[in-house]
Amino acid sequence: MPMIDHITDEQADLIRNAKVFFVASADPSMGEGPSGEGPVNLSPKGAADLQVIDRHTVAYFDYRGSGNETARHTAAGGPITVMVTSFDEDAAIVRLYGRAKAMPLEESILAEQAEELRGVDIPTAERQVIEISVDRTQTSCGYGVPVYEFKGERSRDQRGMRYK
């Protein structure tokens, strides 16, 4: 599929219905990864829904409990890619390309909606909000994506410290 310069209605629907999304970012000053940028950090997200603000902006709550590479990479001016996929029979993949910034919740575009957007069982306190300015998008068929059934978010107790 060709790249386009905004989030389409069809893409926004997929984003709103997804249970998981992935965020990839890189530090442009590291110089050892693709296109002379640093190694790519890839993080799965699921406890916070990705919010479509408008055709060029998305944002999400970033929770404590993992490294803070996305914020570090965006502060350094690195690129960001968000990948959203459906895991049902009608698989599709949406990729959002752009730049981001990490904002304190109080200063973010999600501040006014925070109580409404939060789930009942927040996994940990928000560290910040990641706001993404979307330059390009792409949709693909998801042919290789397996079918999975969503069983629910992890509870605090299930958010293991095994690897920390």
Side-chain angles (χ1 to χ4, degrees), residues 21-59:
F21 63 99
F22 301 85
V23 177
S25 61
D27 181 340
S29 67
M30 297 296 284
E32 55 196 60
S35 301
E37 295 168 338
V40 175
N41 180 64
L42 177 62
S43 298
K45 307 290 182 184
D49 294 332
L50 183 61
Q51 301 297 312
V52 177
I53 307 303
D54 59 39
R55 293 200 179 277
H56 295 280
T57 312
V58 295

Side-chain angles (χ1 to χ4, degrees), residues 41 43 45 62-63 65-71 127-128 164:
N41 180 64
S43 298
K45 307 290 182 184
D62 184 43
Y63 294 98
S66 63
N68 203 10
E69 290 297 289
T70 303
R127 174 175 32 216
Q128 60 216 350
K164 294 231 175 229

Side-chain angles (χ1 to χ4, degrees), residues 1-12 55-56 94-98 134-139:
M1 292 292 282
M3 297 254 192
I4 58 175
D5 68 353
H6 65 277
I7 300 167
T8 67
D9 291 340
E10 183 179 64
Q11 291 170 334
R55 293 200 179 277
H56 295 280
V94 171
R95 290 181 183 87
L96 309 173
Y97 304 95
V134 177
D135 301 326
R136 295 172 291 144
T137 71
Q138 184 179 36
T139 303

